[in-house]
Amino acid sequence: MLKINDLKASIEDKEILKGINLEIKPGEVHAIMGPNGSGKSTLASVLAGREDYEVDGGDVDFDGEDLLEMAPEVRAQKGLFLAFQYPVEIPGVSNTNFLRTAVNEVRKARGEEPYNAANFMKEMKEKMQIVSIDKSLMGRSLNEGFSGGEKKRNEIFHMAMLDPKLAILDETDSGLDIDALRIVANGVNTLRDGNRSFVVVTHYQRLLDYIVPDFVHVLYKGKIVKSGTKELALELEEKGYDWIIQEVEGQN
Amino acid sequence: MSIVIENAALKNNALSYIEDTIEKVPALVQLRTEAAETFASSDFPSIQHEEWKYTNIKKLVSNTYSFSNDVNVTAADIQDYLIEGTDVMVFVNGVYNASLSSFTSTEKVIVAPLSEAIEKHQDLVLAHLGKYADNSLPFVGVNTASVVEGGFVYAKRNALSETPLMFLNVVSGDNIVVQPRVLAVLEEGAQASIIERNAVIKGEAVLVNSVAEVNVAERANLSHLKLQDEVENTSLVTLSEAQQADNSVYHNITITTGGHIVRNNLNIALGEHCEGLMTGLYLVKGKTLVDNHTMVDHKMPNSYSNELYKGILSDKSKGVFNGKIFVREDAQKTNAFQSNKNILLSQDAVVDTKPQLEIWADDVSCSHGCTVGALDEEPMFYLRARGIPEDKARGLLIYAFAGDVIEKISNENVRALVEKIVAREMGYDLI
Ligand SMILES: Nc1ncnc2c1ncn2[C@@H]1O[C@H](COP(=O)(O)OP(=O)(O)O)[C@@H](O)[C@H]1O
Ligand SMILES: [Mg+2]
């Protein structure tokens, strides 16, 4: 589904990703962990097509196509979804109108009929249940004045509506209390259907109790320095990142 | 360099036009003659003039215009300019056209072209016409000195006029100057809503120099929309001059989506416990220059003024905003707010924005702010990353930016029309 090959990226001449290799197959859930500033959000942003970042090398294959050549909206239309670490507040654009535009653009690109108002509402209702998101958030401006938890839930709700092939969740757990965390994880697990793939970026192991990953990778200073299964996350929880950092620095 | 443009063709031609037509309406001869004398001794401002620094009208006033031109305009020609649920009074190249007009005039709300009003209600007209606008300003002086026609609405005590009334100035022909005039008078407790709009259906280098005088008595409420969806080669110089008595409300909304040079002057003088509202949106492209000069004068205590002007500029268009707030010594407990926000969609678009506050009272609450910048990248990326193409995302964001201006238009049909015009100007199909 996604094949990242020696990906290097920088911002303002600062090298951040220093050769990432990662392959994600349909239905797999990969967790990416690592200390703050290691490049997790950068990786997510580069994959989603944020233009501030300069790609200095490598390539990314998404279902047989060159992902890095595509405009951000084309990536989304082809089934890539990014749940933002910091969802953007957009005053004056209603959550519902925005979603309808987005969903219909994506459907159009996939050769599907756009939803009419009635079908769209039906779809919304169904997907709102998945993340138990409050109806009152739908008529409001996108993320404006939403609490931290509401923003994250709204991201997962968008994901459910857009029905992506690959979803990247960037610290969707941060700032959530345990109940909200459970709800968000539940939403993800409901959408885990054996074909859809996930990249779960997280700083803490906590989320991975609820969304159980197939693989865990540790990103440090722009490189994946260790990969393993879910046991690696537990080990990190127990021992912190220091031992890995030492291991890496020791090699250098 | 002089602060005036001497020997402008427009001045000389206007003076001979005024002379030729001075006898046309006997009741207006005195007003016009006085204005003509003042106008004759003044000159149009150059860019050395502080109030015209960013707006060069040299070419505009050096052009040779005709002041009248008989043309035949049909209902089909103006169809697109009519607004559902709105009365309309039509002028064609300055001449009132009864057959294209459709409005009701009652005992309580008198609506008439000025030429008719001056016959039937001479006292009402002469008590107000030319009494508020400053004829020593050349564009105002020439308009007053030329006035033989115009739009007149007079709402008597507590009269509620529910249907908005549009004054539609149709222009057809090259190098035409028209000088629309509006007089709106509301007695105590009356309520009305007027719209000024131009329809240049054919013609190059058209100049519209309009003056609207508005008198809002105690507890009265007037909404005044200037809808300037002009074609490329039309230039406008406009004045809205409003007098507000105690406890009155006046709301001026100025929407500009095109034109060559558009200069709007808006002056509001407030009594006590008044609300003076100034709302503006300019959404321009090409080489349009839009210049809004506003002034609110808090003469008395306890009044509230709120100004919100927003601009969206593409290509090589240019915006000018100058917002004056005067708070006189007696005007304690004044609340005055002003905000001017601009989005530049191209490298070549520019905005000059300047708040000008003069506050002589000590117990007042005033705030002002202005911003000029590109469309934020963060929201743009967020929308695109959810599958919305770049141009549509931009449209959504601009629409959202303009939204709080548009939603201040209370009449539903008018608001829907403005929404449509804005969407059309952006070139996006919005849901
Ligand atoms: N816009 C930016 N300008 C400059 N440096 C940035 C910018 N965004 C991120 N960085 C830097 O890139 C590095 C990686 O950041 P990020 O990808 O956000 O890490 P993580 O998500 O793992 O915490 C950090 O050193 C951060 O300071
Ligand atoms: Mg991050």
Side-chain angles (χ1 to χ4, degrees), chain B residues 177-192:
Chain B
V177 60
V178 292
Q179 304 198 71
R181 185 90 184 190
V182 167
L183 177 61
V185 180
L186 272 62
E187 288 188 357
E188 294 85 54
Q191 218 177 93

Side-chain angles (χ1 to χ4, degrees), chain A residues 11-12 14 16 34-43 53 85 170-171 219:
Chain A
I11 188 160
E12 288 162 8
K14 186 172 159 192
I16 297 173
N36 271 331
S38 57
K40 303 185 294 296
S41 291
T42 302
L43 175 61
Y53 296 93
Q85 180 171 5
D170 191 0
E171 301 218 14
L219 193 63

Side-chain angles (χ1 to χ4, degrees), chain A residues 33 202-209 230 233-234 236-237:
Chain A
M33 304 183 69
T202 180
H203 191 69
Y204 305 103
Q205 192 273 336
R206 197 176 65 150
L207 179 68
L208 306 179
D209 286 339
K230 61 175 190 282
L234 290 170
L236 287 168
E237 170 81 353

Side-chain angles (χ1 to χ4, degrees), chain A residues 74-143:
Chain A
V74 176
R75 302 183 194 199
Q77 289 159 5
K78 294 205 187 266
L80 185 110
F81 179 88
L82 168 64
F84 283 55
Q85 180 171 5
Y86 305 107
V88 186
E89 298 198 7
I90 311 185
V93 174
S94 100
N95 203 7
T96 303
N97 280 350
F98 149 77
L99 251 186
R100 194 166 159 207
T101 309
V103 168
N104 279 341
E105 285 297 333
V106 168
R107 288 180 69 85
K108 206 164 74 188
R110 292 177 189 165
E112 296 163 353
E113 277 289 300
Y115 282 131
N116 62 27
N119 288 343
F120 179 73
M121 288 320 282
K122 190 166 156 267
E123 183 74 10
M124 283 243 296
K125 249 193 196 145
E126 213 179 288
K127 297 291 159 66
M128 272 160 66
Q129 280 175 358
I130 295 182
V131 280
S132 326
I133 191 166
D134 200 272
K135 210 169 84 197
S136 69
L137 296 182
M138 295 304 125
R140 285 176 44 188
S141 285
L142 201 43
N143 294 320

Side-chain angles (χ1 to χ4, degrees), chain B residues 5-48:
Chain B
I5 302 164
E6 274 161 41
N7 264 321
L10 179 61
K11 179 177 168 181
N12 298 328
N13 295 336
L15 285 170
S16 42
Y17 166 77
I18 293 161
E19 201 178 321
D20 293 347
T21 59
I22 195 78
E23 302 292 342
K24 200 166 172 188
V25 183
L28 293 176
V29 173
Q30 197 195 336
L31 174 72
R32 291 182 61 196
T33 307
E34 280 170 23
E37 278 166 15
T38 318
F39 172 61
S41 65
S42 62
D43 280 300
F44 291 106
S46 75
I47 49 169
Q48 303 302 315

Side-chain angles (χ1 to χ4, degrees), chain B residues 26-237:
Chain B
L28 293 176
V29 173
Q30 197 195 336
L31 174 72
R32 291 182 61 196
T33 307
E34 280 170 23
E37 278 166 15
T38 318
F39 172 61
S41 65
S42 62
D43 280 300
F44 291 106
S46 75
I47 49 169
Q48 303 302 315
H49 192 294
E50 183 60 29
E51 296 292 317
W52 292 84
K53 209 154 91 180
Y54 301 107
T55 302
N56 191 345
I57 53 163
K58 178 125 205 242
K59 276 195 184 142
L60 225 55
V61 300
S62 304
N63 191 23
T64 303
Y65 300 95
S66 12
F67 282 73
S68 62
N69 192 7
D70 276 346
V71 286
N72 188 33
V73 168
T74 65
D77 291 329
I78 62 162
Q79 187 59 38
D80 289 347
Y81 289 89
L82 304 180
I83 305 173
E84 207 184 308
T86 297
D87 280 353
V88 62
M89 187 185 292
V90 179
F91 304 90
V92 176
N93 290 345
V95 178
Y96 172 60
N97 187 312
S99 65
L100 295 177
S101 299
S102 162
F103 56 86
T104 45
S105 178
T106 62
E107 180 75 23
K108 298 221 68 175
V109 184
I110 303 166
V111 178
L114 207 56
S115 56
E116 188 189 308
I118 202 96
E119 281 174 20
K120 294 188 184 158
H121 313 278
Q122 196 178 117
D123 294 349
L124 294 184
V125 174
L126 293 184
H128 299 283
L129 187 67
K131 294 286 185 286
Y132 311 114
D134 180 359
N135 287 321
S136 72
L137 301 170
F139 282 107
V140 183
V142 67
N143 182 295
T144 304
S146 308
V147 67
V148 289
E149 192 51 280
F152 177 73
V153 53
Y154 192 104
K156 292 193 179 154
R157 197 161 194 273
N158 294 334
L160 303 182
S161 157
E162 311 246 315
T163 313
L165 170 65
M166 172 164 65
F167 301 109
L168 184 64
N169 300 296
V170 180
V171 183
S172 177
D174 295 337
N175 295 296
I176 305 255
V177 60
V178 292
Q179 304 198 71
R181 185 90 184 190
V182 167
L183 177 61
V185 180
L186 272 62
E187 288 188 357
E188 294 85 54
Q191 218 177 93
S193 163
I194 58 171
I195 300 168
E196 291 180 79
R197 194 178 187 190
N198 307 306
V200 177
I201 55 175
K202 210 163 65 189
E204 290 286 304
V206 166
L207 172 63
V208 179
N209 173 37
S210 73
V211 170
E213 288 178 295
V214 162
N215 185 308
V216 190
E218 286 179 28
R219 291 180 292 106
N221 183 325
L222 179 70
S223 139
H224 183 182
L225 173 69
K226 290 171 112 78
L227 186 49
Q228 304 172 326
D229 51 333
E230 309 301 338
V231 292
E232 202 176 345
N233 240 314
T234 303
S235 291
L236 311 183
V237 179

